[in-house]
Short mmCIF file of all heavy atoms in Angstrom, two decimals:
data_model
loop_
_atom_site.label_atom_id
_atom_site.label_comp_id
_atom_site.label_asym_id
_atom_site.label_seq_id
_atom_site.Cartn_x
_atom_site.Cartn_y
_atom_site.Cartn_z
N LEU A 1 56.66 -57.35 64.07
CA LEU A 1 57.28 -56.39 64.98
C LEU A 1 58.19 -57.10 65.99
O LEU A 1 59.20 -56.53 66.44
CB LEU A 1 56.20 -55.60 65.70
CG LEU A 1 55.45 -54.60 64.82
CD1 LEU A 1 54.23 -54.03 65.55
CD2 LEU A 1 56.38 -53.47 64.37
N GLN A 2 57.86 -58.33 66.35
CA GLN A 2 58.75 -59.09 67.23
C GLN A 2 60.09 -59.34 66.55
O GLN A 2 61.15 -59.22 67.19
CB GLN A 2 58.10 -60.41 67.62
CG GLN A 2 58.92 -61.23 68.60
CD GLN A 2 58.27 -62.57 68.92
OE1 GLN A 2 57.21 -62.90 68.39
NE2 GLN A 2 58.90 -63.34 69.80
N LEU A 3 60.05 -59.67 65.27
CA LEU A 3 61.29 -59.86 64.52
C LEU A 3 62.09 -58.56 64.48
O LEU A 3 63.32 -58.55 64.65
CB LEU A 3 60.99 -60.34 63.10
CG LEU A 3 60.78 -61.83 62.91
CD1 LEU A 3 60.29 -62.11 61.50
CD2 LEU A 3 62.09 -62.57 63.16
N MET A 4 61.40 -57.45 64.23
CA MET A 4 62.10 -56.18 64.16
C MET A 4 62.70 -55.80 65.52
O MET A 4 63.78 -55.20 65.60
CB MET A 4 61.14 -55.08 63.69
CG MET A 4 60.67 -55.24 62.24
SD MET A 4 62.04 -55.14 61.04
CE MET A 4 62.27 -56.88 60.68
N GLN A 5 62.00 -56.16 66.60
CA GLN A 5 62.54 -55.87 67.93
C GLN A 5 63.80 -56.69 68.20
O GLN A 5 64.75 -56.19 68.81
CB GLN A 5 61.49 -56.17 68.99
CG GLN A 5 60.46 -55.08 69.18
CD GLN A 5 59.51 -55.38 70.33
OE1 GLN A 5 58.90 -56.45 70.37
NE2 GLN A 5 59.40 -54.45 71.25
N LEU A 6 63.81 -57.94 67.75
CA LEU A 6 65.00 -58.77 67.94
C LEU A 6 66.18 -58.21 67.16
O LEU A 6 67.34 -58.37 67.58
CB LEU A 6 64.70 -60.20 67.50
CG LEU A 6 63.74 -60.99 68.40
CD1 LEU A 6 63.35 -62.30 67.75
CD2 LEU A 6 64.38 -61.23 69.77
N ARG A 7 65.90 -57.55 66.05
CA ARG A 7 66.98 -56.99 65.25
C ARG A 7 67.41 -55.61 65.74
O ARG A 7 68.59 -55.30 65.82
CB ARG A 7 66.55 -56.90 63.77
CG ARG A 7 67.71 -56.62 62.83
CD ARG A 7 67.28 -56.74 61.39
NE ARG A 7 66.59 -55.54 60.94
CZ ARG A 7 66.04 -55.41 59.74
NH1 ARG A 7 66.06 -56.43 58.90
NH2 ARG A 7 65.45 -54.29 59.37
N MET A 8 66.43 -54.76 66.08
CA MET A 8 66.75 -53.40 66.51
C MET A 8 66.94 -53.28 68.02
O MET A 8 67.36 -52.23 68.52
CB MET A 8 65.62 -52.45 66.06
CG MET A 8 65.45 -52.37 64.57
SD MET A 8 64.01 -51.35 64.07
CE MET A 8 64.48 -49.76 64.74
N GLU A 9 66.60 -54.34 68.75
CA GLU A 9 66.74 -54.40 70.20
C GLU A 9 65.99 -53.25 70.86
O GLU A 9 64.83 -53.01 70.55
CB GLU A 9 68.23 -54.44 70.56
CG GLU A 9 68.94 -55.67 70.00
CD GLU A 9 70.38 -55.74 70.38
OE1 GLU A 9 70.97 -54.69 70.71
OE2 GLU A 9 70.95 -56.85 70.35
N ASP A 10 66.68 -52.51 71.76
CA ASP A 10 65.97 -51.49 72.52
C ASP A 10 65.67 -50.23 71.73
O ASP A 10 65.08 -49.28 72.26
CB ASP A 10 66.75 -51.14 73.80
CG ASP A 10 68.15 -50.63 73.49
OD1 ASP A 10 68.54 -50.66 72.29
OD2 ASP A 10 68.86 -50.22 74.43
N ARG A 11 66.04 -50.20 70.46
CA ARG A 11 65.72 -49.04 69.62
C ARG A 11 64.27 -49.08 69.13
O ARG A 11 63.79 -48.12 68.55
CB ARG A 11 66.65 -48.97 68.41
CG ARG A 11 68.10 -48.68 68.77
CD ARG A 11 69.00 -48.68 67.55
NE ARG A 11 68.55 -47.69 66.57
CZ ARG A 11 68.17 -47.99 65.33
NH1 ARG A 11 68.15 -49.27 64.93
NH2 ARG A 11 67.79 -47.04 64.50
N LEU A 12 63.59 -50.18 69.33
CA LEU A 12 62.21 -50.30 68.86
C LEU A 12 61.29 -50.71 70.01
O LEU A 12 61.52 -51.73 70.67
CB LEU A 12 62.11 -51.34 67.74
CG LEU A 12 60.70 -51.65 67.23
CD1 LEU A 12 60.03 -50.40 66.66
CD2 LEU A 12 60.72 -52.76 66.18
N GLN A 13 60.26 -49.92 70.24
CA GLN A 13 59.21 -50.23 71.19
C GLN A 13 57.90 -50.42 70.42
O GLN A 13 57.68 -49.77 69.39
CB GLN A 13 59.05 -49.10 72.22
CG GLN A 13 60.33 -48.74 72.95
CD GLN A 13 60.90 -49.91 73.73
OE1 GLN A 13 60.15 -50.66 74.36
NE2 GLN A 13 62.23 -50.08 73.69
N VAL A 14 57.07 -51.30 70.92
CA VAL A 14 55.84 -51.67 70.20
C VAL A 14 54.65 -51.53 71.14
O VAL A 14 54.72 -51.92 72.31
CB VAL A 14 55.92 -53.12 69.67
CG1 VAL A 14 54.59 -53.54 69.06
CG2 VAL A 14 57.04 -53.24 68.64
N CYS A 15 53.55 -51.00 70.58
CA CYS A 15 52.30 -50.92 71.32
C CYS A 15 51.16 -51.26 70.37
O CYS A 15 50.98 -50.60 69.34
CB CYS A 15 52.10 -49.52 71.90
SG CYS A 15 50.53 -49.30 72.79
N ILE A 16 50.41 -52.32 70.67
CA ILE A 16 49.27 -52.74 69.86
C ILE A 16 48.02 -52.69 70.74
O ILE A 16 47.95 -53.38 71.76
CB ILE A 16 49.46 -54.15 69.28
CG1 ILE A 16 50.69 -54.19 68.37
CG2 ILE A 16 48.22 -54.59 68.51
CD1 ILE A 16 50.97 -55.56 67.77
N GLU A 17 47.05 -51.87 70.34
CA GLU A 17 45.81 -51.70 71.10
C GLU A 17 44.63 -51.94 70.16
O GLU A 17 44.57 -51.38 69.06
CB GLU A 17 45.72 -50.29 71.69
CG GLU A 17 46.89 -49.92 72.60
CD GLU A 17 46.84 -48.47 73.01
OE1 GLU A 17 46.03 -47.71 72.41
OE2 GLU A 17 47.59 -48.08 73.92
N ALA A 18 43.67 -52.76 70.61
CA ALA A 18 42.51 -53.06 69.77
C ALA A 18 41.29 -53.27 70.66
O ALA A 18 41.33 -54.05 71.61
CB ALA A 18 42.74 -54.30 68.92
N GLU A 19 40.22 -52.57 70.34
CA GLU A 19 38.96 -52.80 71.03
C GLU A 19 38.43 -54.18 70.64
O GLU A 19 38.66 -54.64 69.50
CB GLU A 19 37.94 -51.73 70.65
CG GLU A 19 38.34 -50.32 71.05
CD GLU A 19 37.34 -49.28 70.56
OE1 GLU A 19 36.39 -49.67 69.84
OE2 GLU A 19 37.51 -48.09 70.90
N PRO A 20 37.71 -54.85 71.52
CA PRO A 20 37.18 -56.18 71.18
C PRO A 20 36.32 -56.19 69.92
O PRO A 20 36.43 -57.10 69.09
CB PRO A 20 36.37 -56.56 72.42
CG PRO A 20 37.00 -55.78 73.55
CD PRO A 20 37.46 -54.49 72.93
N ALA A 21 35.46 -55.16 69.77
CA ALA A 21 34.61 -55.11 68.58
C ALA A 21 35.43 -54.92 67.32
O ALA A 21 35.11 -55.46 66.25
CB ALA A 21 33.59 -53.98 68.72
N ALA A 22 36.52 -54.16 67.43
CA ALA A 22 37.38 -53.95 66.27
C ALA A 22 38.17 -55.22 65.93
O ALA A 22 38.32 -55.58 64.75
CB ALA A 22 38.34 -52.80 66.53
N ALA A 23 38.68 -55.91 66.93
CA ALA A 23 39.45 -57.13 66.69
C ALA A 23 38.60 -58.21 66.03
O ALA A 23 39.11 -59.04 65.27
CB ALA A 23 40.03 -57.64 67.99
N ALA A 24 37.30 -58.22 66.29
CA ALA A 24 36.42 -59.24 65.71
C ALA A 24 35.94 -58.86 64.32
O ALA A 24 35.37 -59.71 63.62
CB ALA A 24 35.21 -59.46 66.62
N ALA A 25 36.14 -57.62 63.89
CA ALA A 25 35.64 -57.17 62.59
C ALA A 25 36.34 -57.93 61.46
O ALA A 25 37.51 -58.30 61.57
CB ALA A 25 35.85 -55.67 62.43
N VAL A 26 35.62 -58.14 60.37
CA VAL A 26 36.15 -58.86 59.21
C VAL A 26 36.79 -57.86 58.24
O VAL A 26 36.17 -56.85 57.88
CB VAL A 26 35.03 -59.64 58.50
CG1 VAL A 26 35.56 -60.32 57.24
CG2 VAL A 26 34.43 -60.67 59.45
N VAL A 27 38.03 -58.13 57.85
CA VAL A 27 38.77 -57.23 56.96
C VAL A 27 39.51 -58.06 55.91
O VAL A 27 39.76 -59.25 56.11
CB VAL A 27 39.78 -56.37 57.74
CG1 VAL A 27 39.08 -55.46 58.73
CG2 VAL A 27 40.80 -57.25 58.45
N PRO A 28 39.86 -57.44 54.77
CA PRO A 28 40.73 -58.14 53.82
C PRO A 28 42.11 -58.35 54.44
O PRO A 28 42.54 -57.58 55.30
CB PRO A 28 40.80 -57.16 52.63
CG PRO A 28 39.66 -56.23 52.82
CD PRO A 28 39.43 -56.13 54.29
N PRO A 29 42.82 -59.38 54.01
CA PRO A 29 44.14 -59.65 54.61
C PRO A 29 45.20 -58.67 54.14
O PRO A 29 45.06 -58.00 53.11
CB PRO A 29 44.45 -61.07 54.13
CG PRO A 29 43.71 -61.19 52.83
CD PRO A 29 42.45 -60.39 53.01
#
């Protein structure tokens, strides 16, 4: 998303939210 922001500039806004328990969960890549 950082790359996309550099390309789209102010046309792209990003919001990433994760609970601590969710961020620690094991998932397939």
Side-chain angles (χ1 to χ4, degrees):
L1 289 170
Q2 183 182 2
L3 275 172
M4 293 298 101
Q5 279 185 307
L6 290 171
R7 193 172 80 184
M8 298 175 62
E9 298 182 339
D10 58 355
R11 293 178 58 240
L12 175 61
Q13 306 299 319
V14 174
C15 178
I16 299 179
E17 302 173 348
E19 298 176 355
V26 177
V27 297

